[in-house]
């Protein structure tokens, strides 16, 4: 008889994956709740953070960067534009496309989100020393990189981890 069958997931000495799933789900829910007073959803927040770091790129380039297909990116940018947080401008480098920019209201909302996320992180890491926070961050970055998750990836989006064929799951057909 297998003695581990009755063991609860996450209770083993090195059983970290289940704990990461539990913690991730819990933190995602808390983060979503923190965004409600700001009138945002996590996907809006993630896109605004990435847009602030890549302002002026085309809508397609930012969609590629965060791993969204063009149709989903259009809908997401439409929502952010309706909220008054993002604006599309004609792309001077390519008149057939639009470049994305934060509006003044978008910048204000970004500041509010940053304050909220810092507070959230401080509450979460209250039991850790500064050195432990740095170590945990380093270890999580390594695990994320091994899974093809970059700093540009939106939570919940497929990773850019190559498949067995060596192609990324979001890449189009090969020629």
């Amino acid at each position: 008889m297998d003695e581990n069958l009755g063991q609860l997931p996450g209770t083993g000495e090195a059983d970290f994956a289940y704990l990461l799933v539990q913690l991730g789900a819990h933190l995602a829910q808390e983060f979503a709740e923190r965004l409600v007073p700001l009138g945002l959803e996590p996907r809006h927040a993630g896109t605004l953070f990435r847009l602030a770091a890549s302002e002026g790129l085309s809508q397609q380039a930012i969609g590629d960067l965060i791993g969204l297909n063009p149709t989903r990116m259009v809908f997401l940018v439409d929502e952010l534009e309706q909220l008054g947080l993002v604006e599309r401008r004609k792309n001077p480098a390519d008149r057939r496309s639009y470049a994305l920019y934060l509006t003044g209201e978008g910048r204000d909302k970004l500041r509010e989100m940053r304050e909220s996320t810092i507070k959230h992180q401080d509450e979460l890491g209250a039991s850790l020393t500064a050195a432990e926070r740095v170590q945990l961050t380093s270890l999580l970055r390594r695990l994320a990189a091994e899974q093809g998750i970059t700093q540009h990836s939106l939570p919940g989006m497929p990773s850019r981890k190559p498949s067995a064929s060596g192609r990324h799951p979001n890449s189009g057909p090969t020629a």
Side-chain angles (χ1 to χ4, degrees), residues 2 6 9 24-25 28 32 51 58 72 84 99 107 110 114 116 123-124 126 128 137 141 159 174:
D2 189 349
L51 175 56
S58 72
R72 290 183 71 184
R107 290 182 195 291
L110 191 62
R114 284 195 192 282
S116 180
E123 290 170 2
L124 172 65
L128 301 176
T137 301
R141 280 193 180 124
S159 71
T174 57

Side-chain angles (χ1 to χ4, degrees), residues 128-147:
L128 301 176
T129 67
E132 288 170 332
R133 287 181 187 202
V134 170
Q135 181 182 21
L136 177 60
T137 301
S138 175
L139 293 170
L140 290 173
R141 280 193 180 124
R142 186 175 1 154
L143 290 175
E146 289 171 355
Q147 297 304 310

